[in-house]
Amino acid sequence: MKHSVSQLAICGGPPAFPSKLPVGQLNLPAREDFITIFSKLFERRYYTNHGPLAQQLEEKLQQLFSVRNVVLMTNATIALSLACKALPFKKGDRIIVPAFTFAATVQALTWAGLEPIFCEVAPRSHLITPKTVEPLVLLPGVKGILGVHLWGNGCEVDELQQLATAHGLTVFYDAAHAVGCSHNGRPFGGFGTCEIFSFHATKIFNTAEGGCITTNNDNLAEKLRNLRSSYGRKKNIHIEISGNGRFSEAQAALGLLGLEKLTEYCTSNRKRMNAYMEGLHEIPGIRLLQPSPNEKHNCQYVVLEVDEKAFGLNRDQLVQVLETENILARRYFVPGMHRCPPYDTLFPQYADTLPLTDTLCKQVMQVPSGEIVTDDAIREICELIRFIHIHAREVRERL
Ligand code: T4K
């Protein structure tokens, strides 16, 4: 615990934590389970090409997501790109997408020759809504909506589907953050024409790299299996160009182990989220995004908004102070995709049309969560944030 500003690491004091506390889940299976499953994998000497573990994992995930088809992919970036290729779009079609998202969401459209139409999000939820999408649906060339269930919270899927159906659009979702979450009491996986999940190491369900596409449309699933590679397809479908989105047996082994502990991980993340809520309570200028109490939630991201005026420092300054204390808070997403190359020069018309997105890009950050973050660490992080607020003027002067 710091008692004076001069004890902060920015002033030369020792950091609050001796080693770095990253954001990200970084879950690990038990060593014995890892050895058992990998020994069998090595005995079989069958390492990829939709092997037995990948097949088993697809079946288990179909149950988890309550969906007819799970098509495993190398990672969510590849999955998004292949989904954009498999859906009934043609080159140059325009797709409505939030600018407040990870680069891969928008870049997948570009990989498939589609054009993003950047859409505003709602300030409290950070999600696109029928209200933010509606003004864009009649623009020439619009053929789809790519929603993002950011932070594991669901877009208004029924209302967006109605809007899409009324205008002949295809709606699909980037659900990279949503493994283990539900929306309106239903697990993610069956919303829209398809949904895309990430199993990156920083996510709650971790296959080191990994991801999948879920869909109840059997024809789309078969097209995706053909696009992924010839292995694992059920019939040969003619496609313009195939790719390699294969999911290795090593990834599947990690996935099968992680799946067994998913509920446990969600429960301990929820406890950590509650500890942050308690610790950050009533710090002026700090808002913690809370998952709906009525839904299942993975609580893998602890997301804060920093209001500079009320807190005394802006988000970037707070991140800087925390980083020097070995708390690797992360800024998401900076800048918004409408301001990133190549989109800033290709589509300069969006520069001044997304004020809420621009505000969130300046205010949103994540703080460490995941297995390695103890209750004591959370208490210390929260106390430090409170201390920084109380001494904001002095801290600003020392930066
Ligand atoms: N759609 C959305 C909405 C997404 O957020 C993402 C990815 C995607 C699509 C695409 O999914 P993938 O193609 O990745 O499956 C991270 C992740 O790399 C990325 O998966 C994630 N979203 C994004 C929001 O965050 P970075 O660059 O912020 O974090 P990264 O990977 O550098 O790691 C975070 C911290 O964890 C660092 O302090 C280092 C530490 N770390 C990381 C890894 C991987 C470790 O200590 N060990 C590790 O193995 O992107």
Side-chain angles (χ1 to χ4, degrees), residues 180-199:
C181 302
S182 69
H183 181 58
N184 297 340
R186 289 158 58 195
F188 288 95
F191 298 123
T193 302
C194 66
E195 301 197 85
I196 292 93
F197 293 84
S198 170
F199 310 152

Side-chain angles (χ1 to χ4, degrees), residues 19-49:
S19 53
K20 296 185 189 310
L21 272 187
V23 298
Q25 297 280 294
L26 311 172
N27 291 318
L28 269 182
R31 191 174 288 262
E32 320 76 69
D33 297 343
F34 172 83
I35 291 169
T36 310
I37 200 162
F38 270 78
S39 309
K40 288 191 192 140
L41 193 166
F42 295 143
E43 278 164 27
R44 274 196 297 276
R45 293 192 186 223
Y46 193 90
Y47 297 119
T48 184
N49 292 354

Side-chain angles (χ1 to χ4, degrees), residues 20-26 74-80 100-105 148-151 174-177 196-203 208-211 301 328 330-333 366 372:
K20 296 185 189 310
L21 272 187
V23 298
Q25 297 280 294
L26 311 172
T74 314
N75 56 45
T77 301
I78 301 279
L80 278 160
F100 190 63
T101 186
F102 192 63
T105 320
V148 181
H149 301 307
L150 206 62
W151 320 131
D174 179 337
H177 298 178
I196 292 93
F197 293 84
S198 170
F199 310 152
H200 183 254
T202 51
K203 305 287 189 289
E209 282 287 340
Y301 290 126
L328 300 188
R330 267 277 214 262
R331 310 176 314 153
Y332 287 106
F333 300 97
Q366 287 175 24
I372 60 170

